[in-house]
Structure formats: C-alpha cells, structure tokens
Amino acid sequence: MGYVEAGGYDRDMNYIDDRVVEHPEGGREWPVEAGRYRLVGSRACPWAHRAIITRRLVGLDVGPDAGPGGTGPAPLSQGLCGPTHDWKSWTFDLDVDSVDPVLGVVRLRDCYLHRYADYPKGITVPALVEVNSKAVVTNDFRSMVTDLATQWAPLHRSGAPDLYPAELREEIDAMVDLNFRTVNNGVYRCGFAGDQASYEDAFAVLFARLDELEEHLATRRYLVGEHVTLADVYLFVTLVRFDHVYHGHFKCNRNRIAEMPNLWGYLRDLFQTPGIGDTVNLDHIKQHYYRVHADINPTGVVAVGPDPAAFYTPHDRERLGGTPFWNAAGNAEAPAAPRPEDIRDGDEAGAFA
C-alpha cells in the first residue's frame, strides 16, 4: 500500500501484466473460462475494491445461466483476505482455519510463488489466480477491471450494465487518468509524503481536483454520460474512504467530503446503488489503514467515527436525470443480493437486505 519515504510518494506500477480475454492471441493472454480463475481481493484495499464492485455489477458472481436467486456456481469465484497483513502477504484469516476454501492456501504470497518461485515484488490485491495451478495470472488492477467489464461479457449475467460503453471510452479514460493522478493516488501522495513540501504540493493538487469535481457534479448525476461507468466505480472507492480514513490518517484535512454538497450527494447516491454500497466494509477499511501503516500511526489506535448511517440519508440526485444502469440491449437492471459466501462480518450488504 505504500510507506513514508523521503520526498514525494512514487507508487510502483509494475505488475504481472498478463490478461484474461475472450479471444487470446498467445503470449501473455489467457482465455475467459467459467470456473477457471478466482478473484482474490480485500474489502480494505481500494484497488481491489474496484474489481469487487465490477464483478458484482456485471454479474460474474452469478453468470448468464443463474437460477432463481442467483444459484449455481459463479463464473468467477471470489476470495476475500482479511483487513490486516504483515510484510509478507495478505492472508485469508476471515476463512475457517485461515485457509482459502478454494485455493487451499493461507497466504496470497503462495499463489505468487506458484507463478514465480523468486517473485521479488510486493504481494498485492486484486489478483486473478488460476484455480488448478494456484498461480497468479495477473495483479494489474488497471487492465483487470476493464477486462472484467468487457472481455468477460459472455459470462455476464442477463441484464448486466455496460460500464464501459464504446462511445464514451475516450471520455471515461481521460476522467479515470486525471482522477487517478490527483485523487485516487493523490491521497497516498499526501499520506506517504516524506517532507513538508511534497505533502503540501500533493495536498494542493488533491483539493484543486476535488473542487473541480464538485463543480462538475453540480449539473450531472454521474461523471461521464447518464449512467454509472467505470469512472464512477474508480472514484467511489476513494471517496467512500475519504472521511473515515484519508481526512485524518493521511492528513487530507482541508475539509471532509460530507462538507462538499455535490460530491457528498454523489457519494451517497452511489453508495445506495445495489452492487456498490453493499460491497463496502468500513470496519475492514479502518482496521487496515490504522493498523497496517505503523509508520504513520505507530499506536495502532483505530478511529471510531464517522457514523456510517450518514451514507443512507437522502441524496436527491435523481433530480439531475440519468439512471444507474444501462446497456445496449435495453434490459439493464440492478444485481440481485450478494451471494452468502461473498459476505463477511461488517459488510454493508446486511443494510441492503
């Protein structure tokens, strides 16, 4: 996740960049295949949270042939690590005997070593793991999430939304890139800055962009177009953590998102959308940041507030038009309730039941 370092924070963006695609052409491309892979993530990590939400919205937890209530095997199963980890790896301490029930491993690190015996880099989530070999296929969250929304389309549920419409991709990509540099990674540039000047520079960039987004969302319900896209998914995972973690822990404290009316309404709108807010676990989020980042919070004391009930208050964003879900077939609809095996204690899914 990052550590305090001298000067500005520089995120390592070198990943296992294989892809799982509908029509692989050899090399480092793998075929989309139901049941072959397992998505390993954590409710705590925003980069993994992107993949968790996308899997849920497009229905890779139920697939195109699901029976009533979403029964049947998931085309892409999901493993969830606990909120804390040591320097070696994320662990499956939420499961019985701390063993992932499908992969049979205690540490995600084992799956990286099954792929590369001398894997030298950090063990990150999300990771797509091939079930039979127990080897990581890719941990590149950038291409992975886009591919889940597009390349995995043959395994999407009936009525799945199009989160990356072809006619909006250029605009979505531009929005995603700018928000990544200034907001998604911007909060980390504040939190892990190693000197005052670097922190103040990151702080200024972050809040300048939040001010732009506040203005942008004054007259439109979503970031791009009239429906939820990947641009919204990617911004949501940062905004939902902002007041609970980044405001205090990362010193992003000019103001809270709750003090920015348009962003706050937008955040509550997304949070209350099925398939988005029900993937949130605020306890996991706070446990992770406040306990794992010992260089920032050496006492390990975890903040109590804010009250998550605020996420459920009316947002009045419907007045701006648009609807949450869209696809070209005209049958887009919200996902059903999450599968029981995908729910962990503290998930907001219980509040949506």
Side-chain angles (χ1 to χ4, degrees):
M1 297 287 285
Y3 301 92
V4 170
E5 54 191 56
Y9 171 66
D10 184 19
R11 178 175 296 277
D12 184 351
M13 297 291 284
N14 293 313
Y15 299 99
I16 302 172
D17 58 358
D18 292 28
R19 294 177 60 198
V20 177
V21 298
E22 185 178 359
H23 302 295
E25 298 180 354
R28 299 177 69 108
E29 294 185 342
W30 302 58
V32 169
E33 184 179 326
R36 180 170 177 175
Y37 310 97
R38 185 162 175 80
L39 174 65
V40 177
S42 170
R43 296 282 196 241
C45 173
W47 317 108
H49 198 180
R50 297 172 168 211
I52 290 169
I53 292 172
T54 302
R55 169 185 178 265
R56 176 116 166 72
L57 290 179
V58 301
L60 288 171
D61 56 340
V62 293
D65 303 316
T71 58
L76 178 61
S77 67
Q78 178 174 271
L80 290 172
C81 297
T84 61
H85 58 77
D86 59 21
W87 66 272
K88 287 184 178 180
S89 183
W90 292 86
T91 55
F92 295 96
D93 46 283
L94 302 176
D95 294 304
V96 176
D97 297 325
S98 297
V99 176
D100 179 86
V102 171
L103 299 173
V105 298
V106 175
R107 294 178 177 274
L108 180 56
R109 182 172 185 265
D110 296 343
C111 297
Y112 279 79
L113 297 180
H114 280 125
R115 179 70 189 275
Y116 298 109
D118 58 349
Y119 187 73
K121 302 180 71 62
I123 307 302
T124 64
V125 289
L128 270 183
V129 179
E130 187 181 37
V131 173
N132 287 343
S133 67
K134 302 181 183 181
V136 170
V137 173
T138 179
N139 66 335
D140 191 335
F141 67 85
R142 300 161 298 185
S143 61
M144 183 195 308
V145 176
T146 304
D147 287 342
L148 292 179
T150 55
Q151 297 291 328
W152 287 68
L155 298 178
H156 289 181
R157 63 177 171 86
S158 176
D162 186 350
L163 300 176
Y164 195 47
E167 66 276 13
L168 295 178
R169 287 181 183 179
E170 185 175 348
E171 189 177 352
I172 291 171
D173 289 347
M175 178 69 70
V176 165
D177 177 67
L178 180 56
N179 288 344
F180 173 82
R181 289 184 285 107
T182 58
V183 180
N184 301 130
N185 199 47
V187 294
Y188 286 86
R189 291 184 62 234
C190 289
F192 294 122
D195 59 59
Q196 190 68 31
S198 297
Y199 162 68
E200 291 185 9
D201 175 69
F203 185 96
V205 169
L206 168 65
F207 281 99
R209 180 56 183 162
L210 288 177
D211 287 340
E212 292 173 352
L213 289 167
E214 174 73 4
E215 182 177 357
H216 180 78
L217 291 165
T219 57
R220 53 195 306 159
R221 188 171 179 183
Y222 302 108
L223 289 178
V224 178
E226 298 296 315
H227 315 280
V228 171
T229 68
L230 290 179
D232 300 297
V233 173
Y234 294 173
L235 184 60
F236 171 82
V237 299
T238 297
L239 295 184
V240 78
R241 287 162 171 77
F242 199 97
D243 291 1
H244 287 259
V245 173
Y246 303 142
H247 179 270
H249 184 59
F250 277 177
K251 306 181 186 71
C252 302
N253 59 357
R254 191 196 74 178
N255 54 258
R256 297 176 298 131
I257 298 301
E259 296 165 337
M260 306 183 77
N262 298 323
L263 274 168
W264 177 226
Y266 167 78
L267 174 55
R268 284 176 291 156
D269 188 5
L270 292 177
F271 186 92
Q272 294 170 32
T273 299
I276 300 181
D278 56 31
T279 67
V280 174
N281 190 308
L282 292 166
D283 179 63
H284 284 199
I285 289 168
K286 291 196 289 188
Q287 289 289 328
H288 174 79
Y289 283 92
Y290 284 106
R291 293 179 59 193
V292 171
H293 298 159
D295 43 355
I296 296 176
N297 187 41
T299 66
V301 173
V302 178
V304 174
D307 186 348
F311 285 122
Y312 298 93
T313 58
H315 54 75
D316 192 34
R317 297 284 293 177
E318 298 93 339
R319 62 185 167 76
L320 297 174
T323 57
F325 302 122
W326 175 89
N327 64 30
N331 67 344
E333 58 185 14
R339 298 171 68 109
E341 62 265 32
D342 286 343
I343 299 176
R344 295 294 186 272
D345 288 345
D347 284 2
E348 295 296 325
F352 289 82

